Amino acid sequence: MIILVLVVVTALAFDFTNGFHDTGNAMATSIATGALKPKIAVALSAVLNVVGAFLSIAVAAAIAKDLVDQSVVTLPLIFCGLVGGITWNLLTWLLGLPSSSSHALIGGLIGAVIAAVGMHGVLWTGVASKVVIPAVLSPVIAGSVAALGTWLVYRSTRRVSARNRQDGFRWGQVASASLVSLAHGTNDAQKTMGVIFLALIAHGSVKGSDDVPVWVILACGLAIGLGTYIGGWRVIRTLGKGLVEIESPQGMAAEAASAAVILASSHFGYSLSTTHVATGSILGSGVGKPGAAVRWGVAGRMVVAWLLTLPSAAVVGAVTYGVAHLIGGAAGVGVVFVGMLALAGFMAYRARATLVNADNVNEEWEGGVAPASASVHAGV
C-alpha cells in the first residue's frame, strides 16, 4: 500500500508537470498577440483542462491496455516509468524546449518494462499504431491545415487594414485557444489516468475490465489544471515568440487546427503529443502567411528534442528500475523517490537564475537565439 500511494502521488506530480509544460500548446499564441493577458490565459486554460478530463477515457484505456503487457506490470515498474517522464519534462522545461510529455511518460514506462522483463513485455504493435504513427503524422497534418487556414484568412481579408484584421480576429483566437485547452485536458489528463489505473490493476484494487474510477479522473483533472495555472512561461515564450512573429489571424488558424487534430485523436484513443500538434500548427501559420519569417533553427532544436524524448525517458526508467530492484521493496522505491525530489529541487534552483514569467514572457525574441541563452535562462 505504501508503494501504491507513492506511485499515485508521483503520477499526479507527473500530471502537474504535464500541465505547466504544455500550457503553451493552448495559450502561447493568444498571449503573444495580446488577445489574452498572460495570467488570465493560464487561468482560463486551467479550468478548461479540468473540464476536458471528464469528456473521454479512450486514451486512458489505450495507455493502460495497449502499450505494455498488464501481466508483467508491477508497482515499482510503474513508479520508475513515471520518474523517467518527470525527469525529461523538467529538463526540457529548464531548457525552454516544447517536448512531448506524452512520449516522456510512455518512454519511461517502456524503459522500465524492458529492464524488468525484456522486450517481450512491450506491445510493439500498440506502440506503433497508438504512439509512433500519430507522432509522425500529427504535426504534418496540423501544420498543413493551419497553413491553408492562414492563407485563406489573409486572402479573404487582403483589403482590410492590418490593424483592423488584428483586432477583428482576437475574439476568435480566444475561442480557438479555449477549445485547445479543452482538447488538451481530454487527451493529456487521460495519460495519467491510464497509469494510475495500471497501478491499481497491479495492486489488485481493480480489474483490467473495470472502468477508470471517478476519483482518478477528478484527481488527474485537478493536477493538470493546477499545473496549467502555474504556467510554464519558458515554453510559452518559445512557442509564442520563438518560432514565428505571430498575429491574431495566424493564432486563430493555428489553434483551430490544433483543436481539431487533438479532439479527433482523443476520440480514436491515440496517445497524441499535443506539443507536436501545437508546434506544427504554429509553423504552418508562418508558412501560410505571405512574407512571414519562420525561425527554422529553433524548430530544428525542438525536433531534436522530440526524437530524443522516447529513448531518453526510457533510459531513465530502465536505470531507476535497476536501482529500485537492486535495493528491493519499499526501500528501493523510496531511494528513487528521494533522488527524484533532489533532482527536481536542483532544476528548480537552476531555474531561479533568470526567470521567465508573466511580466516578461512577451519580450522581443533575440533573433534566432534559443531561450536557453543567458538573457532568458530559466523559470516558470
Side-chain angles (χ1 to χ4, degrees):
M1 180 58 70
I2 292 174
I3 298 177
L4 176 63
V5 171
L6 281 177
V7 169
V8 172
V9 169
T10 306
L12 294 176
F14 170 82
D15 212 23
F16 176 83
T17 66
N18 189 346
F20 77 71
H21 196 283
D22 289 5
T23 309
N25 297 346
M27 291 297 174
T29 60
S30 294
I31 292 172
T33 63
L36 285 169
K37 293 183 178 179
K39 291 185 178 179
I40 293 175
V42 296
L44 176 62
S45 185
V47 172
L48 292 171
N49 266 277
V50 176
V51 174
F54 287 87
L55 297 183
S56 170
I57 58 169
V59 175
I63 292 287
K65 301 173 183 179
D66 296 342
L67 302 181
V68 297
D69 184 351
Q70 289 183 2
S71 66
V72 306
V73 172
T74 63
L75 290 175
L77 184 153
I78 297 170
F79 171 78
C80 293
L82 287 164
V83 171
I86 290 173
T87 300
W88 186 254
N89 266 1
L90 291 176
L91 177 62
T92 51
W93 159 74
L94 185 64
L95 298 174
L97 292 173
S99 72
S100 172
S101 298
S102 311
H103 292 177
L105 172 62
I106 293 167
L109 287 173
I110 288 174
V113 167
I114 292 173
V117 301
M119 301 287 283
H120 70 273
V122 181
L123 304 179
W124 294 106
T125 302
V127 172
S129 63
K130 298 287 187 178
V131 180
V132 176
I133 292 175
V136 174
L137 294 180
S138 61
V140 177
I141 294 172
S144 300
V145 173
L148 177 60
T150 301
W151 182 84
L152 289 173
V153 164
Y154 279 95
R155 177 71 177 174
S156 62
T157 60
R158 60 188 182 278
R159 292 186 175 86
V160 179
S161 69
R163 181 181 181 85
N164 288 338
R165 185 194 295 123
Q166 182 83 343
D167 293 341
F169 278 93
R170 277 182 176 164
W171 285 109
Q173 192 180 5
V174 172
S176 59
S178 298
L179 187 58
V180 176
S181 293
L182 191 70
H184 182 263
T186 303
N187 196 280
D188 277 43
Q190 291 185 56
K191 292 153 190 170
T192 307
M193 294 179 207
V195 170
I196 294 178
F197 191 57
L198 264 179
L200 294 174
I201 293 171
H203 182 257
S205 303
V206 299
K207 297 178 181 178
S209 58
D210 292 341
D211 291 330
V212 178
V214 174
W215 71 265
V216 174
I217 299 174
L218 178 61
C220 291
L222 292 174
I224 200 169
L226 180 60
T228 302
Y229 180 70
I230 295 297
W233 302 110
R234 286 186 53 71
V235 179
I236 289 174
R237 175 167 169 77
T238 301
L239 284 172
K241 304 295 289 186
L243 290 172
V244 179
E245 291 298 329
I246 204 162
E247 296 180 348
S248 288
Q250 295 168 268
M252 192 185 78
E255 289 156 359
S258 294
V261 173
I262 295 168
L263 288 172
S265 71
S266 296
H267 175 73
F268 291 109
Y270 295 127
S271 182
L272 194 69
S273 167
T274 54
T275 301
H276 291 189
V277 173
T279 304
S281 296
I282 292 171
L283 288 172
S285 75
V287 172
K289 180 192 174 187
V294 178
R295 296 187 180 95
W296 294 108
V298 177
R301 286 190 284 275
M302 291 167 57
V303 171
V304 170
W306 295 357
L307 295 175
L308 292 175
T309 297
L310 269 168
S312 298
V315 168
V316 176
V319 170
T320 52
Y321 181 83
V323 172
H325 183 69
L326 182 65
I327 298 173
V333 171
V335 168
V336 174
F337 187 76
V338 171
M340 181 188 69
L341 291 178
L343 181 62
F346 171 75
M347 291 189 185
Y349 171 76
R350 288 294 305 273
R352 302 297 300 176
T354 307
L355 292 176
V356 179
N357 55 34
D359 297 324
N360 64 4
V361 69
N362 268 346
E363 287 183 358
E364 289 301 313
W365 191 269
E366 297 180 5
V369 180
S373 64
S375 60
V376 183
H377 184 70
V380 174

